[in-house]
């Protein structure tokens, strides 16, 4: 018996406990999306650091933890999709999950929310449409998730977050993380098309170990164990998708790959309540006393996966059939900005958060039922068998009395550029993940 087998003897594995159609990852995604909303209440409503930033000595806070959790869960679920489907179908599913909801959100923000803000702030629409960073520029620059333009027509400078930033404020800062998600999807697609996921998953472990070594290097040269990755430059820019902050690219990709590796080796990973308690203790210690990026992140990942398979079975119904997590994630920021603009935060944090949730759901619910869910129905489309132009086949000898056979076959940059720029440094992070179907979090399939 190997040392691993001896250590884990008697403990159920993740493969034993994971039921694809009955788990709590939908609930976890919903909690993470709401975690981002709550975390943003401090910077957007009051111009202050997010919840938990001080307790962790600046290592992390609720917003960053929620984003990081999305990438762990996303890596686990998305890899399951890639193992089930061809790379073409996998990619089609990912496009349907991210882009329809995202595009409608851009349109609603640019042509509904922003004009109303302009009327409220200025009493007129003069100069709104012709502004060099107006709504049309907002769409043209950001349509492929580049998010190189966050303000629209110089608005929202008077909000607490606008004053914190010293100028026009972001309308939807949460969208910065989607391009990182797309990069991770692309990585899984490459690993799938090269058969690494199915035939050589150890290569995935090599990527994971390399990323972890870079993280250890970061903390080894830091002046303190209470270390938070600092912006150290950008990767890119790339066409359509823009630039990536190197620190966020490393840490979010590491967490996504960690989730992917867990999925590939789920039969060898013990899932036990005692290990989950240990992970929770390590997470708390690392947040309070340092070492979060080295110790806390892997512990956090284990804890999330454990909760996904160990919570009561009835909670598995949350997010199944009605997954509002993505809509909450992409609409909460503009809703909170507008509420702060009209002074709702003056009535206290509890009122501001409650009205933020209610206002966000007014967008998230229609987003799911009118955009996301209808788009996901197209998953069944056989993209590999779409009709193609008929082409003549080589002529064959004609049958007696018959003809020869013929076969047929069926943009501008702004001060808000980069993944972790002045915006994300001020808010201390945000993001959404994706499940194969109900997360981006998405519905299974």
């Amino acid at each position: 018996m190997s040392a691993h087998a001896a250590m884990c003897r008697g403990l159920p594995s993740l493969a034993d406990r994971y039921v694809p159609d009955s788990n709590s990852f939908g609930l976890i995604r919903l909690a993470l999306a709401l975690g981002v909303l709550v975390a943003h209440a401090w910077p957007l409503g009051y111009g202050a650091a997010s919840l938990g930033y001080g307790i962790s000595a600046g290592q992390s806070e609720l917003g960053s933890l929620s984003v990081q959790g999305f990438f762990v869960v996303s890596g686990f679920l998305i890899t399951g999709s890639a193992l089930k489907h061809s790379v073409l179908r996998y990619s089609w599913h990912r496009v349907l999950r991210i882009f329809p909801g995202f595009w409608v959100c851009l349109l609603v923000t640019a042509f509904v929310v922003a004009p109303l803000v302009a009327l409220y702030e200025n009493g007129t629409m003069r100069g709104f449409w012709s502004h060099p960073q107006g709504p049309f520029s907002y769409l043209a620059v950001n349509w492929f998730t580049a998010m190189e333009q966050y303000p629209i027509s110089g608005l929202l400078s008077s909000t607490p977050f606008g004053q914190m930033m010293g100028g026009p404020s972001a309308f939807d800062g949460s969208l910065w993380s989607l391009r990182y998600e797309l990069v991770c999807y692309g990585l899984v697609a490459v690993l799938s098309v090269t058969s690494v996921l199915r035939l050589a998953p150890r290569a995935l472990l090599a990527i994971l170990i390399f990323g972890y070594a870079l993280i250890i290097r970061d903390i080894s040269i830091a002046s303190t164990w209470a270390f938070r990755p600092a912006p150290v430059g950008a990767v890119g820019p790339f066409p359509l998708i823009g630039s990536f902050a190197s620190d966020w690219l490393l840490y979010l990709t590491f967490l996504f790959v960690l989730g992917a590796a867990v999925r590939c080796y789920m039969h060898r990973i013990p899932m036990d309540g005692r290990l989950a308690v240990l992970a929770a203790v390590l997470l708390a210690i690392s947040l309070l006393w340092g070492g979060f990026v080295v110790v806390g992140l892997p512990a956090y990942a284990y804890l999330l996966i454990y909760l996904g398979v160990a919570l009561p079975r009835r909670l598995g119904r949350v997010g199944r059939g009605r997954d509002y997590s993505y809509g909450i994630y992409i609409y909460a920021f503009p809703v909170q900005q507008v509420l702060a603009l009209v002074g709702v935060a003056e009535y206290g944090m509890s009122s501001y958060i409650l009205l933020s949730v209610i206002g966000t759901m007014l967008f998230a619910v229609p987003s799911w039922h009118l955009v996301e869910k209808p788009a996901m129905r197209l998953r069944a489309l056989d993209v590999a068998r779409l009709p193609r132009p008929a082409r003549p086949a080589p002529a064959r000898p004609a049958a007696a009395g018959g003809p020869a056979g013929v076969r047929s076959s069926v943009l501008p940059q702004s001060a808000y550029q980069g993944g972790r720029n002045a915006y994300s440094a001020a808010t201390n992070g945000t993001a959404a993940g994706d499940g194969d179907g109900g997360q981006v979090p998405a519905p299974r399939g």
Side-chain angles (χ1 to χ4, degrees), residues 172-237:
D172 200 344
S174 294
L175 300 181
W176 72 267
S177 66
L178 296 185
R179 66 177 127 181
Y180 293 82
E181 189 88 8
L182 288 182
V183 165
C184 292
Y185 291 171
L187 174 61
V188 170
V190 170
L191 295 175
S192 176
V193 78
T194 56
S195 297
V196 167
L197 289 181
R198 292 179 177 84
L199 303 180
R202 290 184 179 180
L204 190 63
L205 290 180
I207 297 173
L208 183 66
I209 292 170
F210 177 71
Y212 193 56
L214 293 178
I215 292 173
I216 293 175
R217 181 206 62 182
D218 280 355
I219 201 169
S220 68
I221 62 177
S223 59
T224 172
W225 273 78
F227 164 76
R228 182 185 179 96
V232 291
V235 179

Side-chain angles (χ1 to χ4, degrees), residues 279-408:
V281 170
L282 291 174
L283 174 60
I285 290 175
S286 66
L287 283 171
L288 292 173
W289 288 294
F292 169 72
V293 296
V294 172
V295 177
L297 282 178
Y300 180 47
Y302 183 91
L303 189 59
L304 285 174
I305 299 297
Y306 174 80
L307 292 174
V309 299
L311 287 174
R313 190 68 57 88
R314 62 181 178 274
L315 296 178
R317 293 193 291 267
V318 177
R320 195 170 302 280
R322 290 188 180 94
D323 184 6
Y324 302 136
S325 58
Y326 187 37
I328 291 172
Y329 182 76
I330 61 178
Y331 283 104
F333 199 105
V335 168
Q336 290 178 280
Q337 281 281 59
V338 171
L339 291 177
L341 176 67
V342 299
V344 169
E346 297 174 4
Y347 296 98
M349 179 66 77
S350 298
S351 298
Y352 179 55
I353 291 176
L354 177 61
L355 290 175
S356 294
V357 172
I358 295 173
T360 299
M361 293 306 294
L362 293 178
F363 290 92
V365 172
S367 176
W368 169 253
H369 290 285
L370 301 180
V371 182
E372 299 165 51
K373 187 175 180 180
M376 295 304 291
R377 293 195 186 107
L378 297 177
R379 289 178 300 166
L381 182 64
D382 193 344
V383 293
R385 294 179 179 273
L386 290 176
R388 300 175 184 175
R391 57 184 180 184
R396 291 182 289 182
V406 177
R407 292 180 298 175
S408 61

Side-chain angles (χ1 to χ4, degrees), residues 106 109-111 113-115 117 128 131 133-136 138 149-156 168-171:
L106 290 182
T109 302
F111 296 113
V113 178
V117 169
F128 174 79
H131 194 283
Q133 287 193 329
F136 297 105
Y138 183 78
Q149 178 187 327
Y150 286 101
I152 299 177
S153 300
L155 300 170
L156 295 177
S169 185
F171 264 81

Side-chain angles (χ1 to χ4, degrees), residues 223-267:
S223 59
T224 172
W225 273 78
F227 164 76
R228 182 185 179 96
V232 291
V235 179
F238 300 98
L240 298 179
I241 205 166
S243 301
F244 297 83
S246 56
D247 56 320
W248 278 111
L249 186 61
L250 168 61
Y251 283 79
L252 294 181
T253 303
F254 167 77
L255 291 169
F256 190 96
V257 173
L258 179 57
V262 168
R263 178 61 181 81
C264 289
Y265 285 92
M266 60 193 303
H267 59 291

